[in-house]
Amino acid sequence: MRSNRMGWALLAPTLVILAVVGFLPFFYVLYVSLFDWNPFSNQLGMQWAGVNNFRRLVFDGAFLDSLWRTGLFAFTSVTIELALGFLLAQTLVNSFPGRTIFRTIYVLPLVMAPIAVGATWRLLTIPGFGPIPYYLDRWFGIDFRLATYADQAFITVILMDVWHWTPFVTLTLLAGLTAMPKEPLEQAQVDGANRWQVFRYLTIPMMMPVLLTVIFIRLMDALRIVDEVFMLTSGGPGTATQFIGIHIYRVVVPKTDYGYGSAMSLLVLYFTIVLCWLLFIALAQVGKQRE
Amino acid sequence: MLKRKLTVVLGILVLFSMVLSACAPAALPAAQPAAPAVEGEASWWRTAAQTAGCEGVTLRGISESTPPSRYAADVLAKAFEAETGIKIELEATSWDEMYTKAINDMQAATGIYDFVYIEQDIIYQYLANNYLTNLTQLLADNPELASPDFDFAKFTTFIDNFKDAEGNIYGVPMEAFLKVYLYRKDLFSDPAIQEAFKAQYGYDLAPATTHAQYRDIAEFFTQYGRDNGLDLWGTTVQGNTGHASSFYEFFESIAPTFGVYNWGINMDNWKATVENGGEMNSDKAKEALAFWVDMLNYAPPEATASTWDEVAASFAAGRAAQGWVYGENAAWIATDPDRSRVVGNVGVALPPVAEGVMEDAESGVGYIGYYDGGAFGLPVSSKNQLCTLLWLQYIGQESVQADWAIAGSRIVMESTYDDPKVQEVDAKVDGYYTLMKEAGPLFRGAPPFPFHAALREVVQPYIWKALSGELTPAEALDQAAAAADAELVNLGYGQ
Amino acid sequence: MADTKTDSQKLVAPVQHKGRRGFLPIETNTFDRYFISVILWIGVSLLWMRFLEAMIPLWVSTVLCLVLAIIIIRKG
Amino acid sequence: MKTSTLRKTFGWIGLYGLWIAMSIITIVPIYWMIVVSARSRVELFDAPTLLITSFYAPNYIKPLTDPVFQRYLVNSLIVATSNALLVTVLALLATYALSRWRLPGADNIFFWTITQRMAPPAAFVLPMFLIYTRIFKIGDWTMFDTQIGLILLYCVFNLPFAVWLMKGIMDGVPVELDEAAFVDGANRWTVLTRVVAPLVAPGLAITFILSWIFAWNEYLFAANLTSVNARTITTGLAAFVSVTGTNWGEMAAVATVAILPALIFLVFVQRYIVTGLTFGAVKE
């Protein structure tokens, strides 16, 4: 127990892999972000640019729009997932006949590849043979055209994300609810607290660590969403669903603007880290109050 | 209980993966048939492969997953391996992914790929970056490896796209086709329809030669489909609002027919806006975009989600009466009943043009549409230059062209047009190959821009926004041209 | 195992974080204070480039942030 | 009395109504994919009907009998399983270290490993490509287009999660158990494998499952860091978007095949998902 060498030895493989495959590329991106580097510009090779890429970025309307759009998307979808997930988790806490079957079915989207989720939703919504536009038109007279109407596309992308990830939220919250001590709740009921009060003053505070953990994970992933949306709308119509992941993809890959794209992704990483760090600190604070 | 179950699950998975890993290396060679020994005296190819020390070498290439590429991978690569002992691994993938990987490889000079697909429009970027090996030079330096069956002169003029200023060639063409005007012969020749059309518009129904006629026909058939409860619309539009294909349809197929060439960019000073001498937001360009966006009203609902693939699929499903469709699809749409509902009813014609455009095209100033295609090129970073040279010559033989042309509706050599097999298919596709031979010079590939993809990425969002109605055509082009000017300066052109 | 819930189970934060208390509203260790300084430096530089650089050059913000960083690391 | 029975009945109806609705919403998109996979290309544009009227087998037969596609499937299995095993073992070692020793800086290691998952992936494709082709090479052999390359790469995404998940569970195992075993003469390794590992088994299971699913599903890096030999099934989906009319039927068939193993796997082990998914927030 005294010697730390053994501890470090056990930790070492993890740290080595993360350093080599994780941090090495990060430093490379950091390095590239300080250069102008686009194989298709008039000047070949890397040209030193200092912080010019970042200077351009803070004035880049398309980038800022995309950032804002991503934030809106992540906020909306994570909120819906949390609310829905909490509701569903509560219905699953108590055992009832058929619970296992429902739960099994409900977990299906969780195992699907994001790219397959995108493909599935594309098949659902594609005008011409998708059932959603067909029945919406037939039953409600709604002209549903994902690739034409920006708001429809945005809503569909959120619905797709909710469909894909609410099961995860539900199950995590369910695990938390299942593990929650029962006496305080019973005590409160004896004391005459109504359901809302129990929920507001007991369940929520007790669930806080789990809630924050879920928000942390979902927010982190929602902010870097690419595959599903790319498959469903490829960022369109126009730029209506061009979230930051897709925006960066377009800059780095088809446009081959390596330097600018690297700067862009670092900036996004910066925002994500700050946001997640705040959540992390909140999580740690909750832990302290508990002790 | 839990522990045991877990052990079982883990055990099964471990076993499974071990068995699989044991199988995996063995599965690789099994996928390819063993090369049969060449009977009789060694062929020229075998000798050349020995001379270059290439036997047993594996060449790796990347291409878009198109019928011509798949033919090259499935048929030509096998034949080549049998003949020379050189193995070909051709990675056929999606268009976007192909570019990412080829450019990453050549930019980093890692030498993974020995040959890459070069589309006609990207070649100028590749040349500017010195990605590609000069094939003319390489052949001249290695006369012992120059096949007697291979000659650059046998190719159609399409090969000019792969030349540098001195006339050196950097790619062996493997596919080429036109973006033509397809229409439904069964509808156009129906007497009742003809009569109704004449009554409504006052002239005979025929493949459109002007944009006004095109619009009338589109409107007529959309109404006809609605009245008769058919899934039929007047035209296809390759109008995907999130994919580069819509940019290409507008600037390479629609705008030229209105007399706006080279994406409306002034190639003397690299400017796009009218104020700076460009044409991207000229009145003609705005008229063209307005026309094209208007066509969405007469197109099936999937038009704004259609790339080149879906346009062909829509037309093949019989959902459109006419449209601009890539010629590589003409053969299967006209002949393959498994995939097409309009077999035998496909008409092929030249696209409609505005006044003066045909004269421009004939004199060589302009063009009436897109002549697309690609070649296999040899990256400088390849470590097997000479072996790849043999492969490139192999696919450039006259003898392999006819079957390839039938498999992929592509023609890269003059002599292929006269092949009886090709002529037989030609009759079924309403003379598409003949049209390609005769009218080919009226079409042209993408302008020689070394900044092709970079500029496209900047301009295309405005085209998408025009298609989705977020911007009017005039606004879209004004903003697009301004953005193009700024980006060109940023890229170091037209300071 | 976790299915058989006992009354001694409770929900806690899955992370621990210990440090000291300075003028910052949270407990921080040395690493945190460096981290906060860097985050602030990047954030201020970005905002500076967007709004102030036209009037005041960027090195001013860097100097300001450096001073701030020293304070945070010493006293935070 | 009466109102409470009534309320209970409505409660049941509501509960089942809710769950039947949720099940339908969950299943319909997947079901539709299967419907599309059963249609031939000319039938696709017929009026949408939710019935499988005919079964067009070539959509399945063509990819499944294609040796290239089979190789993708095998690669996916190898990569996902090896990665999940590796991650589970490493996470066990790492969390044991973090929970039994007071390592300086350990508090921060946790957050820093997590940040690796936050980066937008697109910009990291080129660096990874360069590292795999230029730095990790021995003679002609490079990490590019190898299974081991993907396995290691996925550790970057899976390990932080695994450490997070396991840490709390590991902290829940009392140190006294270790010490009792030491007194009995066991060494460190025996304690870890015989005493600690069985106690944290649900955590290990959930780690394995989540890592496996992630590795099976990853697309962007798999597409760009492999070429012919190590391609996985998700990248195979892209190959079925072909030029001669997007091949929706075949793509749907491939997607169906691609989710099958994960699905079977999931049904098999799904009960552990609920018990293990607390990310260490449950302590005894």
Side-chain angles (χ1 to χ4, degrees):
Chain A
M1 277 292 178
R2 289 278 72 87
S3 157
N4 274 348
R5 202 178 296 160
M6 177 86 177
W8 283 117
L10 290 172
L11 202 52
T14 303
L15 293 182
V16 167
I17 288 183
L18 290 180
V20 170
V21 201
F23 278 115
L24 210 58
F26 169 78
F27 285 116
Y28 186 78
V29 170
L30 191 65
Y31 170 77
V32 172
S33 74
L34 301 175
F35 289 85
D36 260 338
W37 186 20
N38 186 344
F40 299 133
S41 76
N42 209 4
Q43 293 178 314
L44 301 178
M46 296 166 83
Q47 312 284 331
W48 174 255
V51 293
N52 273 341
N53 282 327
F54 295 94
R55 202 167 269 148
R56 262 173 71 200
L57 265 181
V58 293
F59 290 101
D60 184 339
F63 167 74
L64 296 173
D65 280 353
S66 175
L67 210 56
W68 159 246
R69 203 177 294 129
T70 315
L72 187 68
F73 160 78
F75 179 77
T76 319
S77 54
V78 172
T79 310
I80 297 176
E81 280 157 25
L82 269 184
L84 197 61
F86 214 114
L87 176 78
L88 293 173
Q90 290 231 305
T91 66
L92 282 179
V93 173
N94 301 313
S95 170
F96 61 90
R99 180 174 75 148
T100 321
I101 299 170
F102 285 136
R103 209 174 61 186
T104 311
I105 292 175
Y106 184 57
V107 175
L108 290 182
L110 201 56
V111 296
M112 283 179 73
I115 194 155
V117 170
T120 310
W121 278 71
R122 180 113 196 249
L123 290 174
L124 270 182
T125 55
I126 194 164
F129 66 86
I132 288 187
Y134 181 78
Y135 288 112
L136 278 182
D137 181 44
R138 215 142 155 224
W139 294 341
F140 306 104
I142 297 171
D143 181 21
F144 183 85
R145 270 185 283 163
L146 195 60
T148 304
Y149 303 117
D151 43 353
Q152 287 180 354
F154 196 79
I155 292 168
T156 311
V157 169
I158 288 177
L159 287 180
M160 175 175 69
D161 196 68
V162 168
W163 181 82
H164 193 183
W165 288 112
T166 311
F168 175 81
V169 176
T170 310
L171 290 179
T172 313
L173 294 180
L174 177 62
L177 284 175
T178 316
M180 220 164 62
K182 290 285 173 291
E183 312 97 82
L185 298 181
E186 283 155 11
Q187 187 57 44
Q189 266 158 356
V190 171
D191 292 349
N194 64 25
R195 277 187 176 197
W196 167 249
Q197 285 168 327
V198 171
F199 179 74
R200 171 70 186 79
Y201 295 104
L202 281 171
T203 314
I204 292 273
M206 276 200 283
M207 286 288 285
M208 205 38 106
V210 182
L211 278 173
L212 286 173
T213 309
V214 171
I215 296 176
F216 189 116
I217 293 171
R218 278 304 305 134
L219 205 59
M220 182 168 78
D221 282 352
L223 287 173
R224 61 200 279 281
I225 188 169
V226 177
D227 295 2
E228 300 97 308
V229 183
F230 202 79
M231 202 72 182
L232 181 65
T233 65
S234 33
T239 51
T241 54
Q242 185 156 314
F243 301 129
I244 198 69
I246 298 179
H247 189 77
I248 291 174
Y249 174 83
R250 286 196 187 282
V251 171
V252 181
V253 179
K255 207 180 161 201
T256 61
D257 206 340
Y258 300 131
Y260 195 53
S262 298
M264 209 180 259
S265 65
L266 280 183
L267 207 55
V268 174
L269 183 60
Y270 168 80
F271 289 126
T272 317
I273 287 182
V274 170
L275 210 61
C276 287
W277 188 76
L278 291 175
L279 273 171
F280 178 78
I281 289 299
L283 201 54
Q285 293 303 112
V286 169
K288 273 200 200 99
Q289 286 160 11
R290 207 48 67 78
E291 270 155 24
Chain B
M1 181 60 202
L2 172 89
K3 194 182 151 193
R4 229 186 60 208
K5 250 194 171 166
L6 225 93
T7 325
V8 172
V9 174
L10 278 174
I12 291 172
L13 274 165
V14 170
L15 254 171
F16 197 33
S17 70
M18 266 157 55
V19 171
L20 285 175
S21 354
C23 292
L28 279 182
Q32 259 81 28
V38 181
E39 64 293 335
E41 91 259 39
S43 71
W44 183 90
W45 294 105
R46 170 70 67 172
T47 324
Q50 278 162 353
T51 317
C54 290
E55 274 173 308
V57 167
T58 300
L59 298 179
R60 196 179 258 193
I62 184 162
S63 181
E64 186 183 356
S65 169
T66 61
S69 297
R70 281 201 295 269
Y71 182 84
D74 298 341
V75 181
L76 296 176
K78 301 265 155 63
F80 182 67
E81 189 183 347
E83 192 118 39
T84 60
I86 302 173
K87 203 176 145 205
I88 303 289
E89 271 182 359
L90 180 58
E91 181 184 343
T93 182
S94 67
W95 182 77
D96 316 65
E97 201 185 310
M98 166 192 78
Y99 277 128
T100 319
K101 299 177 84 169
I103 291 174
N104 275 353
D105 176 48
M106 294 189 289
Q107 177 63 31
T110 41
I112 291 164
Y113 298 115
D114 297 306
F115 59 102
V116 294
Y117 178 86
I118 333 164
E119 195 161 339
Q120 173 275 327
D121 50 20
I122 203 93
I123 177 88
Y124 310 101
Q125 286 188 336
Y126 288 5
L127 289 181
N129 278 276
N130 301 318
Y131 285 165
L132 299 173
T133 303
N134 181 341
L135 295 178
T136 313
Q137 189 67 41
L138 194 64
L139 273 175
D141 290 347
N142 299 281
E144 74 283 4
L145 296 181
S147 161
D149 296 333
F150 180 83
D151 186 358
F152 284 125
K154 287 178 187 165
F155 288 91
T156 58
T157 51
F158 180 64
I159 201 172
D160 296 346
N161 287 305
F162 303 97
K163 283 180 181 162
D164 66 6
E166 284 84 48
N168 295 307
I169 291 170
Y170 289 82
V172 175
M174 48 79 68
E175 63 179 29
F177 40 79
L178 303 176
K179 189 156 186 184
V180 286
Y181 172 66
L182 293 191
Y183 63 96
R184 287 274 298 282
K185 275 201 309 209
D186 54 334
L187 296 174
F188 276 61
S189 59
D190 184 325
I193 292 176
Q194 283 178 336
E195 202 173 307
F197 185 86
K198 177 125 195 206
Q200 193 171 344
Y201 296 99
Y203 60 95
D204 286 324
L205 175 62
T209 54
T210 68
H211 295 107
Q213 287 172 5
Y214 191 94
R215 202 203 75 87
D216 289 347
I217 295 171
E219 185 187 58
F220 175 80
F221 279 109
T222 308
Q223 191 57 44
Y224 176 83
R226 202 173 291 150
D227 293 344
N228 293 286
L230 298 173
D231 277 337
L232 176 69
W233 285 266
T235 175
T236 62
V237 175
Q238 182 179 305
N240 191 309
T241 47
H243 192 270
S245 52
S246 50
F247 170 90
Y248 286 129
E249 169 142 312
F250 178 67
F251 279 111
E252 288 170 345
S253 299
I254 308 296
T257 62
F258 281 84
V260 178
Y261 311 117
N262 301 324
W263 303 3
I265 288 169
N266 184 334
M267 291 170 68
D268 296 327
N269 62 358
W270 303 117
K271 292 290 179 197
T273 51
V274 171
E275 305 86 82
N276 291 326
E279 273 195 306
M280 194 182 274
N281 58 340
S282 64
D283 291 340
K284 274 196 283 186
K286 286 174 181 170
E287 192 193 337
L289 187 58
F291 163 79
W292 188 51
V293 170
D294 179 47
M295 282 305 114
L296 283 176
N297 296 323
Y298 313 116
E302 67 266 28
T304 46
S306 291
T307 67
W308 31 66
D309 300 345
E310 287 91 350
V311 162
S314 289
F315 192 89
R319 291 166 69 82
Q322 56 176 355
W324 271 271
V325 180
Y326 280 88
E328 59 186 332
N329 300 302
W332 71 262
I333 293 178
T335 57
D336 185 353
D338 276 349
R339 291 188 279 169
S340 168
R341 286 236 158 108
V342 294
V343 172
N345 295 325
V346 178
V348 180
L350 293 180
V353 288
E355 222 169 294
V357 170
M358 197 52 93
E359 290 73 27
D360 279 357
E362 277 159 1
S363 67
V365 179
Y367 46 97
I368 62 169
Y370 187 40
Y371 198 134
D372 185 31
F376 280 141
L378 172 52
V380 171
S381 53
S382 161
K383 296 175 190 106
N384 301 307
Q385 302 260 341
L386 295 178
C387 310
T388 313
L389 186 66
L390 287 176
W391 161 245
L392 293 180
Q393 291 182 81
Y394 191 84
I395 61 165
Q397 296 177 94
E398 260 178 324
S399 54
V400 304
Q401 299 296 325
D403 287 331
W404 203 358
I406 289 160
S409 335
R410 38 66 73 197
I411 285 188
V412 295
M413 277 188 195
E414 287 296 343
S415 60
T416 318
Y417 290 116
D418 304 325
D419 191 284
K421 287 189 238 173
V422 172
Q423 290 191 331
E424 193 190 333
V425 178
D426 189 42
K428 288 187 195 150
V429 290
D430 199 38
Y432 167 71
Y433 294 109
T434 312
L435 180 101
M436 188 170 164
K437 184 180 184 184
E438 284 164 5
L442 298 176
F443 292 75
R444 202 181 296 166
F449 295 152
F451 44 74
H452 180 97
L455 189 66
R456 179 197 71 215
E457 286 299 315
V458 170
V459 172
Q460 65 187 8
Y462 301 101
I463 304 296
W464 297 338
K465 286 180 181 170
L467 283 166
S468 71
E470 200 178 323
L471 296 174
T472 67
E475 285 166 359
L477 284 176
D478 283 337
Q479 294 179 19
D485 273 4
E487 182 63 22
L488 282 169
V489 171
N490 191 20
L491 288 169
Y493 295 91
Q495 304 288 357
Chain C
M1 157 137 269
D3 243 352
T4 60
K5 41 189 183 300
T6 57
D7 288 339
S8 63
Q9 269 186 344
K10 57 177 178 174
L11 294 175
V12 297
V15 290
Q16 283 136 24
H17 207 78
K18 297 202 173 61
R20 64 154 206 243
R21 194 67 189 244
F23 70 85
L24 290 170
I26 50 167
E27 273 185 27
T28 53
N29 59 27
T30 320
F31 183 85
D32 288 334
R33 288 189 292 276
Y34 276 99
F35 176 74
I36 293 169
S37 310
V38 172
I39 289 289
L40 279 178
W41 171 62
I42 298 173
V44 169
S45 303
L46 288 172
L47 289 172
W48 199 280
M49 283 194 274
R50 180 84 163 87
F51 297 109
L52 289 176
E53 207 187 0
M55 293 161 277
I56 314 163
L58 193 61
W59 62 264
V60 178
S61 94
T62 312
V63 170
L64 281 178
C65 284
L66 208 64
V67 173
L68 193 63
I70 291 170
I71 297 173
I72 289 177
I73 290 164
R74 285 265 177 82
K75 302 259 172 77
Chain D
M1 190 64 205
K2 194 131 193 263
T3 46
S4 107
T5 339
L6 210 65
R7 197 190 259 169
K8 231 177 200 164
T9 321
F10 274 118
W12 281 114
I13 293 173
L15 186 66
Y16 277 96
L18 176 71
W19 275 101
I20 290 168
M22 287 315 293
S23 302
I24 292 173
I25 291 173
T26 308
I27 283 182
V28 161
I30 301 173
Y31 175 73
W32 176 248
M33 184 169 78
I34 296 169
V35 171
V36 171
S37 78
R39 288 192 178 175
S40 75
R41 230 191 279 201
V42 286
E43 289 165 341
L44 273 185
F45 284 100
D46 295 347
T49 156
L50 290 176
L51 300 175
I52 300 182
T53 44
S54 62
F55 189 77
Y56 185 71
N59 281 340
Y60 283 89
I61 292 172
K62 223 175 113 195
L64 284 179
T65 53
D66 184 351
V68 176
F69 182 81
Q70 288 166 355
R71 200 194 307 160
Y72 292 176
L73 205 62
V74 170
N75 283 336
S76 272
L77 278 172
I78 294 173
V79 168
T81 312
S82 318
N83 172 261
L85 274 179
L86 184 65
V87 166
T88 314
V89 171
L90 287 184
L92 178 68
L93 299 180
T95 48
Y96 187 66
L98 286 174
S99 111
R100 293 299 189 262
W101 281 272
R102 289 209 61 82
L103 303 173
D107 278 3
N108 303 306
I109 287 176
F110 172 72
F111 183 72
W112 282 104
T113 52
I114 283 283
T115 57
Q116 307 219 337
R117 213 189 140 112
M118 297 176 192
F124 286 79
V125 167
L126 184 70
M128 282 317 299
F129 176 82
L130 291 175
I131 287 169
Y132 273 18
T133 51
R134 291 254 185 98
I135 298 178
F136 293 150
K137 62 186 280 186
I138 304 163
D140 267 353
W141 184 87
T142 64
M143 289 270 263
F144 179 81
D145 199 17
T146 58
Q147 291 154 355
I148 186 82
L150 287 183
I151 293 169
L152 282 184
L153 176 69
Y154 293 157
C155 284
V156 175
F157 301 99
N158 280 331
L159 259 178
F161 249 25
V163 170
W164 188 347
L165 226 128
M166 291 292 301
K167 174 70 167 39
I169 298 172
M170 191 62 91
D171 285 346
V173 177
V175 191
E176 291 77 33
L177 285 178
D178 294 29
E179 279 156 4
F182 283 131
V183 171
D184 291 346
N187 64 18
R188 192 53 87 178
W189 183 248
T190 328
V191 170
L192 182 59
T193 52
R194 293 288 158 78
V195 180
V196 177
L199 285 174
V200 296
L204 291 177
I206 191 75
T207 306
F208 186 87
I209 296 163
L210 288 183
S211 308
W212 195 89
I213 291 175
F214 180 86
W216 179 267
N217 289 343
E218 205 278 335
Y219 171 72
L220 190 69
F221 285 103
N224 286 293
L225 296 179
T226 64
S227 144
V228 179
N229 296 318
R231 281 178 89 75
T232 60
I233 186 147
T234 43
T235 65
L237 281 174
F240 284 94
V241 183
S242 81
V243 173
T244 48
T246 295
N247 216 336
W248 293 113
E250 251 172 61
M251 198 179 88
V254 172
T256 310
V257 173
I259 62 170
L260 266 186
L263 220 67
I264 294 167
F265 192 38
L266 182 83
V267 171
F268 205 40
V269 293
Q270 70 108 3
R271 62 166 60 238
Y272 306 126
I273 286 202
V274 183
T275 56
L277 255 184
T278 47
F279 286 87
V282 179
K283 291 256 175 66
E284 298 193 21

